[in-house]
Amino acid sequence: SSPIWGAMEARNMQLKINTKTLAAGVAMAALSFASAASAGTVVIKDIQGVWSSQSPTGTVSTSGATSTVSWGTPTEGTMKSSYSFTSASAPFTTTLSDGQSAGPFTLGTFQHNNWPVTGTTLQTVRLTVSGVVEIDGHDINFSGFVYDFTHVETPNEGSGWWGACALGGYNGDSNNKYGCSDQVKVNTNTFNNSFTFGADTYTIDIAGFLVGGNLTSSFITKESEAVTYKCGKKNKQTCYDYTSHAFANTADIQASISMVTSAVPEPSTWAMMIVGFGAAGAMVRSSRRRGALAA
């Protein structure tokens, strides 16, 4: 072959190498951008739970971190039956990067104070849990998670001469020691909330109600005994010993938080990549035209 053709082939070969190097560099830059993960310090605090929409009865009250809805006429003493929600007192703090999650952590504790009552009882009620998410010192309010409760009140004495309880067992056995147990049913209307801070998207997911180490949507709550009367006959006088026996009947509301950073480059980054690939293509086309003219 002639020296001219040899020089052209060498130049074209070098051009192809440079083009491949440029394309590889642009691709590596895009990959680096896509895989780059920001990190943020997340604090979840100021959790609040508010009862509402109680039906057909119920009185809502708030004391500190605890919101309570109560109902019924006490059969003994002054204790009404009630639901309470107590917000977690300590903030939850974590540091998240792209794709990471943290939790579960407790938003608060639900409790059914199951005292014997008469009269109209609660059937349905709503609990809305909300709070503040703080990311790198910036406060972000998140909308409430909504829980609809259905309350199943049962006759404490059971039915029939054997005292069969509506939810199983018998009046006086280990699960119905002070009367037949009741039931709480929970419907979680919102399982997650998402919000964006900067280029990052965060998602708070509700893990559910944790009862005895298990997630559940309904659970049995044991009946408490308001007052036990004990009588003596010293000097033919009757004495009373008031003693309460209460079951906890609690469930933790738990959640977790995740961070997802978009891997899509910004418009300016896309523009730089397009210019780079365009320049590489122009170099190849220019080289081919010069080769054709020389021939």
Side-chain angles (χ1 to χ4, degrees), residues 110-208:
F110 164 82
Q111 181 171 8
H112 177 201
N113 302 292
N114 192 356
W115 299 104
V117 294
T118 60
T120 304
T121 63
L122 180 77
Q123 294 180 9
T124 60
V125 67
R126 171 168 291 182
L127 175 68
T128 302
V129 180
S130 59
V132 171
V133 177
E134 186 178 85
I135 302 176
D136 294 334
H138 299 274
D139 284 347
I140 300 175
N141 289 313
F142 68 84
S143 58
F145 295 96
V146 177
Y147 299 86
D148 283 332
F149 288 75
T150 300
H151 181 73
V152 180
E153 188 88 28
T154 65
N156 287 344
E157 65 277 5
S159 61
W161 62 269
W162 55 87
C165 294
L167 299 175
Y170 301 92
N171 188 0
D173 65 21
S174 59
N175 291 324
N176 306 280
K177 187 173 182 179
Y178 301 116
C180 293
S181 297
D182 297 334
Q183 186 178 36
V184 178
K185 297 180 179 180
V186 186
N187 176 34
T188 306
N189 294 330
T190 53
F191 285 95
N192 62 73
N193 278 335
S194 296
F195 53 91
T196 300
F197 178 74
D200 303 320
T201 298
Y202 295 82
T203 300
I204 296 180
D205 297 285
I206 288 295

Side-chain angles (χ1 to χ4, degrees), residues 222-281:
K222 294 181 179 182
E223 192 82 22
S224 298
E225 186 178 47
V227 176
T228 298
Y229 295 90
K230 293 183 179 180
C231 302
K233 293 184 178 180
K234 184 178 180 180
N235 298 325
K236 296 184 179 181
Q237 294 180 351
T238 301
C239 52
Y240 300 93
D241 179 14
Y242 296 91
T243 305
S244 297
H245 303 278
F247 291 103
N249 295 327
T250 60
D252 288 336
I253 299 180
Q254 293 195 318
S256 61
I257 185 167
S258 304
M259 173 181 164
V260 180
T261 301
S262 175
V264 179
E266 296 292 334
S268 59
T269 305
W270 277 119
M272 292 177 63
M273 292 170 62
I274 293 171
V275 169
F277 284 118

